PDB file of all heavy atoms in Angstrom:
ATOM      1  N   LEU A   5      13.609  -4.579   5.945  1.00 61.00           N
ATOM      2  CA  LEU A   5      14.594  -5.513   5.404  1.00 61.00           C
ATOM      3  C   LEU A   5      14.483  -5.499   3.891  1.00 61.00           C
ATOM      4  O   LEU A   5      13.402  -5.695   3.330  1.00 61.00           O
ATOM      5  CB  LEU A   5      14.351  -6.929   5.927  1.00 61.00           C
ATOM      6  CG  LEU A   5      14.649  -7.150   7.401  1.00 61.00           C
ATOM      7  CD1 LEU A   5      14.333  -8.589   7.787  1.00 61.00           C
ATOM      8  CD2 LEU A   5      16.099  -6.834   7.717  1.00 61.00           C
ATOM      9  N   GLU A  10      19.151  -7.203   4.024  1.00 65.00           N
ATOM     10  CA  GLU A  10      19.869  -6.177   4.769  1.00 65.00           C
ATOM     11  C   GLU A  10      18.888  -5.151   5.326  1.00 65.00           C
ATOM     12  O   GLU A  10      17.848  -4.882   4.737  1.00 65.00           O
ATOM     13  CB  GLU A  10      20.870  -5.475   3.843  1.00 65.00           C
ATOM     14  CG  GLU A  10      21.940  -6.407   3.305  1.00 65.00           C
ATOM     15  CD  GLU A  10      22.802  -5.747   2.259  1.00 65.00           C
ATOM     16  OE1 GLU A  10      22.398  -4.702   1.706  1.00 65.00           O
ATOM     17  OE2 GLU A  10      23.881  -6.276   1.978  1.00 65.00           O
ATOM     18  N   LEU A  13      17.452   1.691   5.992  1.00 63.00           N
ATOM     19  CA  LEU A  13      16.843   2.847   6.625  1.00 63.00           C
ATOM     20  C   LEU A  13      16.638   3.985   5.631  1.00 63.00           C
ATOM     21  O   LEU A  13      16.344   5.101   6.012  1.00 63.00           O
ATOM     22  CB  LEU A  13      17.720   3.327   7.785  1.00 63.00           C
ATOM     23  CG  LEU A  13      17.935   2.319   8.908  1.00 63.00           C
ATOM     24  CD1 LEU A  13      18.916   2.864   9.928  1.00 63.00           C
ATOM     25  CD2 LEU A  13      16.628   1.954   9.573  1.00 63.00           C
ATOM     26  N   SER A  14      16.778   3.699   4.352  1.00 71.00           N
ATOM     27  CA  SER A  14      16.666   4.725   3.318  1.00 71.00           C
ATOM     28  C   SER A  14      15.275   4.724   2.710  1.00 71.00           C
ATOM     29  O   SER A  14      15.059   4.193   1.628  1.00 71.00           O
ATOM     30  CB  SER A  14      17.704   4.497   2.224  1.00 71.00           C
ATOM     31  OG  SER A  14      18.989   4.544   2.750  1.00 71.00           O
ATOM     32  N   ARG A  18       5.422   9.643   2.640  1.00 94.00           N
ATOM     33  CA  ARG A  18       4.812  10.807   1.975  1.00 94.00           C
ATOM     34  C   ARG A  18       3.365  10.485   1.633  1.00 94.00           C
ATOM     35  O   ARG A  18       2.924   9.335   1.731  1.00 94.00           O
ATOM     36  CB  ARG A  18       5.592  11.166   0.719  1.00 94.00           C
ATOM     37  CG  ARG A  18       5.613  10.051  -0.316  1.00 94.00           C
ATOM     38  CD  ARG A  18       6.129  10.548  -1.650  1.00 94.00           C
ATOM     39  NE  ARG A  18       6.356   9.496  -2.597  1.00 94.00           N
ATOM     40  CZ  ARG A  18       5.398   8.832  -3.267  1.00 94.00           C
ATOM     41  NH1 ARG A  18       4.126   9.101  -3.079  1.00 94.00           N
ATOM     42  NH2 ARG A  18       5.722   7.875  -4.130  1.00 94.00           N
ATOM     43  N   ALA A  20       0.419   9.501  -0.651  1.00 96.00           N
ATOM     44  CA  ALA A  20       0.337   8.673  -1.853  1.00 96.00           C
ATOM     45  C   ALA A  20      -0.206   9.489  -3.016  1.00 96.00           C
ATOM     46  O   ALA A  20      -0.951  10.453  -2.837  1.00 96.00           O
ATOM     47  CB  ALA A  20      -0.565   7.473  -1.591  1.00 96.00           C
ATOM     48  N   ALA A  22      -1.754   8.953  -7.264  1.00 96.00           N
ATOM     49  CA  ALA A  22      -2.434   7.969  -8.123  1.00 96.00           C
ATOM     50  C   ALA A  22      -1.432   6.970  -8.707  1.00 96.00           C
ATOM     51  O   ALA A  22      -1.776   5.800  -8.919  1.00 96.00           O
ATOM     52  CB  ALA A  22      -3.194   8.686  -9.234  1.00 96.00           C
ATOM     53  N   ASP A  24       0.932   5.550  -7.201  1.00 97.00           N
ATOM     54  CA  ASP A  24       1.279   4.556  -6.185  1.00 97.00           C
ATOM     55  C   ASP A  24       0.224   3.458  -6.023  1.00 97.00           C
ATOM     56  O   ASP A  24       0.488   2.437  -5.393  1.00 97.00           O
ATOM     57  CB  ASP A  24       1.456   5.225  -4.817  1.00 97.00           C
ATOM     58  CG  ASP A  24       2.576   6.240  -4.800  1.00 97.00           C
ATOM     59  OD1 ASP A  24       3.641   5.961  -5.396  1.00 97.00           O
ATOM     60  OD2 ASP A  24       2.385   7.307  -4.189  1.00 97.00           O
ATOM     61  N   ALA A  29      -2.047  -1.874  -4.212  1.00 94.00           N
ATOM     62  CA  ALA A  29      -2.861  -3.063  -4.493  1.00 94.00           C
ATOM     63  C   ALA A  29      -1.990  -4.318  -4.491  1.00 94.00           C
ATOM     64  O   ALA A  29      -2.387  -5.353  -3.937  1.00 94.00           O
ATOM     65  CB  ALA A  29      -3.588  -2.908  -5.825  1.00 94.00           C
ATOM     66  N   ARG A  37      -2.929 -13.306  -0.173  1.00 78.00           N
ATOM     67  CA  ARG A  37      -2.569 -14.663  -0.612  1.00 78.00           C
ATOM     68  C   ARG A  37      -1.831 -15.451   0.459  1.00 78.00           C
ATOM     69  O   ARG A  37      -1.952 -16.666   0.528  1.00 78.00           O
ATOM     70  CB  ARG A  37      -1.677 -14.605  -1.859  1.00 78.00           C
ATOM     71  CG  ARG A  37      -2.378 -14.217  -3.117  1.00 78.00           C
ATOM     72  CD  ARG A  37      -1.472 -14.395  -4.340  1.00 78.00           C
ATOM     73  NE  ARG A  37      -0.227 -13.646  -4.270  1.00 78.00           N
ATOM     74  CZ  ARG A  37      -0.047 -12.408  -4.728  1.00 78.00           C
ATOM     75  NH1 ARG A  37      -1.056 -11.764  -5.275  1.00 78.00           N
ATOM     76  NH2 ARG A  37       1.130 -11.815  -4.640  1.00 78.00           N
ATOM     77  N   VAL A  50      -6.876  -4.034  -9.207  1.00 95.00           N
ATOM     78  CA  VAL A  50      -6.262  -2.722  -9.029  1.00 95.00           C
ATOM     79  C   VAL A  50      -7.266  -1.615  -9.348  1.00 95.00           C
ATOM     80  O   VAL A  50      -7.220  -0.541  -8.732  1.00 95.00           O
ATOM     81  CB  VAL A  50      -4.954  -2.587  -9.840  1.00 95.00           C
ATOM     82  CG1 VAL A  50      -5.235  -2.535 -11.323  1.00 95.00           C
ATOM     83  CG2 VAL A  50      -4.156  -1.375  -9.387  1.00 95.00           C
ATOM     84  N   ARG A  59     -11.933   8.391  -4.929  1.00 91.00           N
ATOM     85  CA  ARG A  59     -13.075   8.764  -4.100  1.00 91.00           C
ATOM     86  C   ARG A  59     -12.642   9.299  -2.733  1.00 91.00           C
ATOM     87  O   ARG A  59     -13.204  10.276  -2.244  1.00 91.00           O
ATOM     88  CB  ARG A  59     -13.982   7.549  -3.924  1.00 91.00           C
ATOM     89  CG  ARG A  59     -15.216   7.766  -3.078  1.00 91.00           C
ATOM     90  CD  ARG A  59     -15.969   6.470  -2.822  1.00 91.00           C
ATOM     91  NE  ARG A  59     -15.133   5.560  -2.038  1.00 91.00           N
ATOM     92  CZ  ARG A  59     -14.828   4.309  -2.427  1.00 91.00           C
ATOM     93  NH1 ARG A  59     -15.295   3.814  -3.551  1.00 91.00           N
ATOM     94  NH2 ARG A  59     -14.058   3.557  -1.671  1.00 91.00           N
ATOM     95  N   LEU A  74      19.832   1.987  -4.281  1.00 64.00           N
ATOM     96  CA  LEU A  74      21.153   2.525  -4.606  1.00 64.00           C
ATOM     97  C   LEU A  74      21.208   3.071  -6.025  1.00 64.00           C
ATOM     98  O   LEU A  74      21.930   4.012  -6.315  1.00 64.00           O
ATOM     99  CB  LEU A  74      22.221   1.455  -4.413  1.00 64.00           C
ATOM    100  CG  LEU A  74      22.404   0.958  -2.974  1.00 64.00           C
ATOM    101  CD1 LEU A  74      23.408  -0.191  -2.936  1.00 64.00           C
ATOM    102  CD2 LEU A  74      22.857   2.094  -2.077  1.00 64.00           C
ATOM    103  N   LYS A  79      10.655   2.318  -4.581  1.00 90.00           N
ATOM    104  CA  LYS A  79       9.692   1.224  -4.464  1.00 90.00           C
ATOM    105  C   LYS A  79       8.816   1.466  -3.243  1.00 90.00           C
ATOM    106  O   LYS A  79       9.323   1.727  -2.148  1.00 90.00           O
ATOM    107  CB  LYS A  79      10.440  -0.099  -4.325  1.00 90.00           C
ATOM    108  CG  LYS A  79       9.549  -1.296  -4.118  1.00 90.00           C
ATOM    109  CD  LYS A  79      10.383  -2.556  -3.933  1.00 90.00           C
ATOM    110  CE  LYS A  79       9.482  -3.741  -3.666  1.00 90.00           C
ATOM    111  NZ  LYS A  79      10.245  -4.960  -3.403  1.00 90.00           N
ATOM    112  N   SER A  87     -10.364   5.258   5.320  1.00 73.00           N
ATOM    113  CA  SER A  87     -11.465   5.289   4.358  1.00 73.00           C
ATOM    114  C   SER A  87     -12.741   4.915   5.089  1.00 73.00           C
ATOM    115  O   SER A  87     -12.708   4.359   6.190  1.00 73.00           O
ATOM    116  CB  SER A  87     -11.216   4.305   3.200  1.00 73.00           C
ATOM    117  OG  SER A  87     -11.193   2.976   3.671  1.00 73.00           O
ATOM    118  N   TYR A  89     -16.055   2.701   5.970  1.00 69.00           N
ATOM    119  CA  TYR A  89     -16.201   1.260   6.138  1.00 69.00           C
ATOM    120  C   TYR A  89     -16.315   0.568   4.794  1.00 69.00           C
ATOM    121  O   TYR A  89     -17.007   1.021   3.897  1.00 69.00           O
ATOM    122  CB  TYR A  89     -17.442   0.963   6.993  1.00 69.00           C
ATOM    123  CG  TYR A  89     -17.729  -0.508   7.146  1.00 69.00           C
ATOM    124  CD1 TYR A  89     -16.967  -1.276   7.992  1.00 69.00           C
ATOM    125  CD2 TYR A  89     -18.756  -1.099   6.433  1.00 69.00           C
ATOM    126  CE1 TYR A  89     -17.222  -2.631   8.137  1.00 69.00           C
ATOM    127  CE2 TYR A  89     -19.025  -2.451   6.573  1.00 69.00           C
ATOM    128  CZ  TYR A  89     -18.246  -3.215   7.431  1.00 69.00           C
ATOM    129  OH  TYR A  89     -18.512  -4.545   7.553  1.00 69.00           O
ATOM    130  N   ARG A  92     -16.052  -6.492   3.662  1.00 56.00           N
ATOM    131  CA  ARG A  92     -15.186  -7.552   3.150  1.00 56.00           C
ATOM    132  C   ARG A  92     -15.561  -8.855   3.823  1.00 56.00           C
ATOM    133  O   ARG A  92     -16.140  -8.855   4.910  1.00 56.00           O
ATOM    134  CB  ARG A  92     -13.711  -7.262   3.440  1.00 56.00           C
ATOM    135  CG  ARG A  92     -13.124  -6.169   2.587  1.00 56.00           C
ATOM    136  CD  ARG A  92     -11.631  -6.100   2.867  1.00 56.00           C
ATOM    137  NE  ARG A  92     -10.976  -5.286   1.865  1.00 56.00           N
ATOM    138  CZ  ARG A  92      -9.853  -4.666   2.070  1.00 56.00           C
ATOM    139  NH1 ARG A  92      -9.246  -4.751   3.234  1.00 56.00           N
ATOM    140  NH2 ARG A  92      -9.299  -3.959   1.124  1.00 56.00           N
TER     141      ARG A  92
END
Side-chain angles (χ1 to χ4, degrees):
L5 290 179
E10 297 172 343
L13 299 175
S14 300
R18 61 168 171 75
D24 298 319
R37 287 189 303 269
V50 70
R59 180 187 64 235
L74 296 175
K79 177 182 178 183
S87 64
Y89 176 76
R92 287 186 167 155

